[in-house]
Amino acid sequence: MARPRKSRIVSQPPLYTAFKPAGIPQSGLPVTSLSLDEYEALRLADYLHMEQEEAATEMEISRPTFTRLLERARSRITAFIVEGKALSIEGGAVHFRFNIVKCLDCERMFHTNIASNADR
């Protein structure tokens, strides 16, 4: 029996969670899904240019696990670009480091001090 998957730490959710090629209707497009932990691995390694060991520590996972996440994320992003698919960022066993609220009117994101039930 496989060991249960440990939650990965994600700093904050992405600002946008869906992407598609310009000029093509969403309906009928195949969708590539990117989990939130894969998104965070890409953000830390490729956007913030962190070393893998440092990024793994930030996510509270092992370096080999981080490497696997990063490889899977890069593969999915490549398929999204090369094959002209839609991309959806969602799901995964994650825990957000900060509580964040998104305004539905202006779409700005705000950090809050609301404690979750797990923190009480």
Side-chain angles (χ1 to χ4, degrees):
M1 186 162 118
R3 188 175 70 172
R5 180 178 275 188
K6 181 181 171 188
S7 289
R8 283 89 187 258
I9 302 298
V10 174
S11 289
Q12 61 189 40
L15 291 175
Y16 304 99
T17 58
F19 303 88
K20 69 172 194 68
I24 299 176
Q26 175 73 32
S27 61
L29 272 179
V31 177
T32 296
S33 292
L34 188 69
S35 67
L36 288 165
D37 52 352
E38 292 167 343
Y39 160 82
E40 183 72 352
L42 276 173
R43 188 183 76 80
L44 295 174
D46 296 342
Y47 184 72
L48 297 179
H49 307 290
M50 283 187 178
E51 295 293 328
Q52 287 192 9
E53 189 67 42
E54 180 185 9
T57 301
E58 178 75 16
M59 289 183 71
E60 298 181 12
I61 57 176
S62 69
R63 197 220 29 90
T65 298
F66 181 83
T67 301
R68 285 191 298 274
L69 273 176
L70 188 57
E71 287 174 356
R72 197 165 48 238
R74 287 176 175 163
S75 175
R76 290 179 180 180
I77 292 294
T78 302
F80 158 68
I81 294 169
V82 172
E83 298 172 15
K85 295 181 174 184
L87 178 69
S88 173
I89 304 173
E90 60 189 1
V94 300
H95 174 76
F96 292 108
R97 187 172 303 283
F98 304 108
N99 293 310
I100 296 175
V101 176
K102 183 176 183 179
C103 176
L104 297 177
D105 291 329
C106 68
E107 297 190 358
R108 288 190 56 207
M109 300 185 62
F110 302 93
H111 292 276
T112 66
N113 291 327
I114 301 169
S116 69
N117 288 337
D119 296 337
R120 293 182 184 157

